[in-house]
Amino acid sequence: MFLKRIKLLTFCLLSFGYLHSETSPIEDIQSGLDLEKNKNCMKALQFYSSAMRKNPNSIEAKLGYARCSNVLGATNESKKYYTEILNRDSKNLPAVNGLAEILLKENKTKDVQTLIEPIIGEFPNHEELRITEAKLYVKLGKVDTAIFKLTQLNEKLNRPKSLEFMLGELHFIKGEYSKSYEYLSRYTNLAPDDPRGFVSKAKLLLYENYFHPNRLFSILPEVEENLSNALTIEPKHEEARFLKVFSDMISAHSGRNNSNDFLRSAFRTIYELAREFPDNKLYHTLEATIAWDLKEDRFASFHYRRALQIDDLDEMLRFESEEYVLDREKEEAKLRRELGKYRRERFLSEKQSLHPKSSLFHLFRARSLSGQTPALRRDLLDFYDANGESILFINLLLRIRDEAPNQFSLENKLEFAVQKLKSSLEYKEGYIQIEPNQILDSTERHSPEVFIFDLESMLPFPNHLRAGRLLAQGLKIQFQQIQSIRIPKSEEDRSIREKLKETNFHPFSNTIPFSIDSLPALDIQRRNKSKIRYVLHGRYSYENHNLVIHISLYDRLQLKDVFTLRTNQKGRDSLSTILARIAERVKAELPREGKVLKVQQEGLIISLGKDDGIVKDSKVKFLRNGEVFLEGKIIEMGKSISFVQSNSRGWERIVATGDSILIEK
């Protein structure tokens, strides 16, 4: 803010060379007003500065300078001049309203109350003052009070256009879209030369129909007409252009011809906005997202980096940036290396803070982003060794040895690890094969299977349009580290999603939300296999770095949600913390189910082991058609399989490979 003030003062001082005594203060003020009306506040400041220099007591010059300073983002400068005016005249209403507007943006509601309450009693019918009061009530969460007071005044003053517009905005905030549309329609009739009315009508139509994709398509022509009217009046209107980006993005997925042209149009518009407003994180994020869709990698990479420079606490932005580089950039690319380095640093920080579960998300993301860096490889080796991940440990050692064959110290580690692996139950039963350059694991998993739908936004037009898809992807990454939960393989998952898109697809966020009617699509590749029983679905919001998720697990056999979890986390590492929390809850809720893999003379091999959270001597129930027909006990445990014996006579004649098993928690 200090730099902005210096820039403004320098700019104004340089202008004094050609704005001197040839013009009067009144003429300078008029020139400033004309330029301000034409949205050229930077030029207008020159004339307001000149007028103040010639007449230091000019209230009009100070008001103009304060207004333009606020528009240009120099709020401290603006507050300074508003305060100077109010020190001389505490009832100067333009100064009161201007200062109150800044204080409301700063959430200083008590200061606003102190400022306006004494004056409202004296000027109860002043439109701008009462609009400021209404904005204060909105900040205080009293929207109904704001509507009530302004409606009374509106009727009393015979519906002036400023109050009609404000009431339209208030009803929009409350979600009363029909009433809002009535007020805004009257406003556009009263003020056909003001773009704000048309912009607000377009915004209302989009927000009202956001959660109804079919209706969203049908109102697009009216949205485009309103935005066209606004941009005809003011071609550079910021919000109108921003909403046009939304409109074009929806049109790109509406089935209309030339869908790529709409996306290109959205890209051109957001490209201009991001350059006019270089500190707007949302514009940079949206440009990067659209550039990714258009495979404009140079723009995507630049704007993801720029957005992270503005706000490095944005967890959804960071995760989206990572998904982009994994899709489009090589491991040695600058942005990918930076993102990988950050994840490793967060892993070490979370690990030292004794948050092991959430720290693993950072470790595995770092592995995906920059798995070849020596420091990260050491971290991975330590983790694999400490957590009994023998196969991953040996395979990584083999890869390092092949790349640096002169590191003879690795041979001892390899020899010890291989000998330990040979003593495992999996190796003895032939599920692990030791090849010259890798270890192969053919262990079968039959744990409960979960399909994850994209999460739906609780709010229309979320700032991160990919967030619903990203959260689903984050949960998949988390579940891949839990052996007791299975998710469909990537190829089948893509096939299911393509089928779901035919009936359930949001054209703005490109999410595939949950619908019971669409569940048969999960079985398209399961004709001779067990069906996916569990479905994870939910809703989210992400505002001011606060991630809120309402998640449910649906059981297709019971035809109901077996649990619903409402959770939130704010600040750095909020994403990893919430994903770990959800994964643990799902793991706790799912049954310990598996299959009989082998029937031997002495006992049976089942598909559950230490990774499933079971212990030696646990009781195993054998089921067929949902009925228990035999019980046994775990005698020996491996990492992912176990050896079971039964005391029942003739068990070997009634148990078959593929029978279901259950271990109660």
Side-chain angles (χ1 to χ4, degrees):
M1 200 62 68
F2 176 75
L3 289 175
K4 286 181 179 178
R5 180 178 176 184
I6 293 296
K7 288 178 182 177
L8 285 174
L9 288 173
T10 304
F11 186 79
C12 294
L13 287 170
L14 290 173
S15 68
F16 289 160
Y18 57 90
L19 292 174
H20 42 76
S21 56
E22 293 177 359
T23 56
S24 67
I26 294 176
E27 291 172 326
D28 287 343
I29 291 170
Q30 187 57 52
S31 297
L33 289 170
D34 293 340
L35 288 163
E36 187 180 349
K37 185 177 180 181
N38 291 322
K39 310 297 181 183
N40 192 349
C41 269
M42 184 62 80
K43 187 78 172 176
L45 278 175
Q46 301 175 21
F47 289 94
Y48 290 136
S49 297
S50 176
M52 286 192 294
R53 181 168 173 265
K54 296 167 187 175
N55 181 7
N57 295 321
S58 172
I59 297 294
E60 288 301 319
K62 289 182 178 181
L63 280 172
Y65 195 95
R67 286 194 304 270
C68 283
S69 296
N70 187 32
V71 169
L72 295 171
T75 52
N76 285 341
E77 192 76 3
S78 181
K79 285 163 69 174
K80 171 191 168 185
Y81 282 99
Y82 280 137
T83 303
E84 283 186 14
I85 295 167
L86 291 173
N87 287 338
R88 290 179 56 191
D89 179 8
S90 62
K91 297 178 183 178
N92 186 293
L93 298 182
V96 169
N97 287 316
L99 182 58
E101 180 185 343
I102 296 171
L103 294 173
L104 283 171
K105 288 180 181 177
E106 297 173 348
N107 293 317
K108 296 178 179 178
T109 53
K110 289 186 178 179
D111 291 344
V112 177
Q113 286 177 302
T114 303
L115 180 65
I116 68 172
E117 283 182 354
I119 304 174
I120 286 178
E122 191 170 344
F123 301 97
N125 297 330
H126 191 276
E127 295 173 26
E128 292 302 318
L129 191 60
R130 295 298 296 275
I131 287 172
T132 300
E133 180 191 37
K135 291 177 180 178
L136 171 62
Y137 282 127
V138 171
K139 278 286 184 181
L140 295 171
K142 300 178 180 179
V143 181
D144 288 332
T145 303
I147 292 174
F148 176 76
K149 284 179 171 285
L150 223 53
T151 302
Q152 284 188 322
L153 183 64
N154 192 40
E155 297 298 330
K156 183 178 180 180
L157 300 182
N158 197 23
R159 298 180 180 274
K161 61 183 181 181
S162 62
L163 296 186
E164 290 282 294
F165 179 77
M166 189 62 200
L167 281 165
E169 294 287 287
L170 290 173
H171 283 290
F172 173 80
I173 292 170
K174 199 180 175 188
E176 296 174 343
Y177 297 119
S178 297
K179 288 184 178 180
S180 176
Y181 193 83
E182 290 176 13
Y183 280 108
L184 292 173
S185 295
R186 284 200 293 269
Y187 180 76
T188 52
N189 291 331
L190 291 169
D193 59 343
D194 186 352
R196 293 183 305 157
F198 297 106
V199 171
S200 293
K201 283 172 70 176
K203 182 178 180 180
L204 183 152
L205 290 166
L206 288 170
Y207 277 64
E208 180 183 14
N209 296 287
Y210 179 83
F211 296 107
H212 309 280
N214 292 331
R215 280 162 41 186
L216 197 57
F217 291 139
S218 66
I219 54 91
L220 275 180
E222 188 176 354
V223 169
E224 291 168 354
E225 180 185 355
N226 279 291
L227 293 177
S228 177
N229 289 337
L231 291 169
T232 300
I233 298 166
E234 188 180 324
K236 289 291 187 179
H237 193 283
E238 181 184 355
E239 189 175 12
R241 288 188 289 163
F242 186 54
L243 290 176
K244 188 175 186 307
V245 174
F246 288 175
S247 174
D248 285 340
M249 291 178 71
I250 295 167
S251 296
H253 298 98
S254 64
R256 296 160 70 175
N257 293 330
N258 303 319
S259 60
N260 202 56
D261 291 345
F262 285 110
L263 207 56
R264 285 282 173 190
S265 174
F267 181 68
R268 285 192 297 270
T269 305
I270 200 65
Y271 173 92
E272 294 170 358
L273 286 169
R275 275 144 191 80
E276 291 175 32
F277 304 94
D279 294 329
N280 190 310
K281 179 190 71 172
L282 178 57
Y283 293 166
H284 289 290
T285 303
L286 193 53
E287 181 175 353
T289 300
I290 300 174
W292 182 5
D293 288 337
L294 292 171
K295 295 181 171 55
E296 295 282 359
D297 296 343
R298 181 167 60 90
F299 291 98
S301 184
F302 174 84
H303 288 284
Y304 276 130
R305 179 182 286 107
R306 176 66 185 125
L308 284 168
Q309 288 171 349
I310 296 171
D311 182 6
D312 78 329
L313 284 176
D314 191 326
E315 291 280 288
M316 297 306 329
L317 169 62
R318 185 171 295 280
F319 191 45
E320 181 178 336
S321 304
E322 292 169 355
E323 288 296 297
Y324 160 72
V325 297
L326 288 171
D327 181 47
R328 301 293 303 170
E329 295 193 354
K330 296 179 180 179
E331 188 167 329
E332 61 269 17
K334 183 178 179 183
L335 179 59
R336 184 163 172 173
R337 284 188 285 108
E338 290 172 353
L339 293 169
K341 180 182 177 183
Y342 174 89
R343 283 298 181 190
R344 179 175 181 267
E345 289 171 352
R346 295 313 306 160
F347 161 68
L348 295 174
S349 175
E350 286 283 274
K351 182 182 175 183
Q352 291 168 2
S353 300
L354 302 179
H355 296 131
K357 290 177 181 177
S358 60
S359 72
L360 295 185
F361 179 81
H362 298 298
L363 178 64
F364 298 133
R365 290 303 281 176
R367 180 179 63 184
S368 299
L369 292 162
S370 52
Q372 305 305 314
T373 57
L376 182 62
R377 282 182 165 182
R378 287 194 297 271
D379 295 333
L380 288 168
L381 286 173
D382 290 343
F383 171 75
Y384 295 153
D385 192 25
N387 289 272
E389 299 287 351
S390 302
I391 296 174
L392 292 172
F393 180 75
I394 294 171
N395 282 337
L396 182 52
L397 280 177
L398 287 169
R399 200 153 52 243
I400 295 171
R401 187 193 65 179
D402 292 342
E403 294 171 6
N406 294 327
Q407 292 189 30
F408 300 108
S409 60
L410 295 178
E411 293 297 335
N412 291 334
K413 289 184 178 180
L414 274 170
E415 184 178 349
F416 179 77
V418 169
Q419 289 301 319
K420 184 178 178 182
L421 185 65
K422 287 181 176 179
S423 65
S424 68
L425 184 60
E426 286 82 1
Y427 180 79
K428 294 174 185 176
E429 295 297 331
Y431 289 105
I432 292 177
Q433 291 82 43
I434 300 177
E435 301 288 335
N437 295 315
Q438 64 176 330
I439 306 296
L440 300 177
D441 183 7
S442 59
T443 308
E444 299 177 37
R445 303 296 303 177
H446 297 280
S447 305
E449 198 166 8
V450 180
F451 181 82
I452 305 170
F453 275 89
D454 296 335
L455 273 65
E456 298 179 75
S457 173
M458 298 178 190
L459 304 172
F461 295 98
N463 288 344
H464 299 282
L465 66 90
R466 291 179 183 265
R469 289 174 282 163
L470 292 171
L471 289 167
Q473 177 65 15
L475 286 167
K476 290 174 190 174
I477 293 169
Q478 198 74 29
F479 286 175
Q480 285 169 353
Q481 318 310 322
I482 302 175
Q483 298 299 320
S484 58
I485 301 175
R486 286 187 301 147
I487 58 175
K489 293 181 179 179
S490 56
E491 184 178 341
E492 183 184 7
D493 187 74
R494 281 194 297 271
S495 177
I496 292 171
R497 289 178 65 84
E498 287 300 319
K499 187 69 176 176
L500 289 169
K501 274 185 180 181
E502 297 174 7
T503 57
N504 209 10
F505 177 74
H506 199 284
F508 178 75
S509 63
N510 297 173
T511 51
I512 301 174
F514 171 74
S515 166
I516 291 178
D517 294 337
S518 64
L519 293 181
L522 274 59
D523 305 328
I524 55 175
Q525 295 186 10
R526 299 290 179 115
R527 293 175 184 173
N528 298 316
K529 295 170 62 179
S530 58
K531 304 295 189 282
I532 299 172
R533 177 176 174 179
Y534 297 98
V535 173
L536 198 64
H537 64 95
R539 303 168 68 223
Y540 78 94
S541 69
Y542 186 65
E543 289 189 305
N544 300 320
H545 305 134
N546 185 32
L547 178 58
V548 178
I549 291 183
H550 296 176
I551 198 94
S552 300
L553 185 68
Y554 182 80
D555 186 342
R556 296 177 70 193
L557 286 184
Q558 299 184 51
L559 301 178
K560 67 176 185 179
D561 290 330
V562 293
F563 83 81
T564 296
L565 173 66
R566 292 174 174 82
T567 182
N568 75 289
Q569 191 73 30
K570 188 170 184 177
R572 200 181 296 276
D573 302 323
S574 57
L575 178 62
S576 59
T577 302
I578 268 195
L579 293 179
R581 192 179 298 159
I582 293 171
E584 286 300 310
R585 178 62 191 274
V586 172
K587 179 182 176 181
E589 198 69 35
L590 293 176
R592 290 178 184 155
E593 295 177 335
K595 298 281 186 182
V596 175
L597 299 179
K598 290 182 181 180
V599 179
Q600 300 172 338
Q601 186 174 359
E602 300 83 8
L604 307 105
I605 299 296
I606 63 171
S607 64
L608 296 176
K610 295 176 183 176
D611 284 344
D612 299 283
I614 62 175
V615 295
K616 191 176 179 181
D617 296 331
S618 294
K619 290 184 179 179
V620 182
K621 294 182 178 180
F622 295 81
L623 301 92
R624 193 174 292 155
N625 298 323
E627 298 293 329
V628 177
F629 67 89
L630 184 71
E631 291 189 357
K633 185 171 68 172
I634 292 177
I635 304 302
E636 184 181 356
M637 292 177 58
K639 187 175 185 296
S640 52
I641 62 173
S642 295
F643 178 70
V644 177
Q645 287 183 337
S646 174
N647 293 326
S648 301
R649 286 187 177 183
W651 63 265
E652 65 275 6
R653 293 193 300 272
I654 58 175
V655 179
T657 301
D659 280 337
S660 298
I661 59 167
L662 174 68
I663 299 179
E664 294 183 353
K665 295 184 179 181

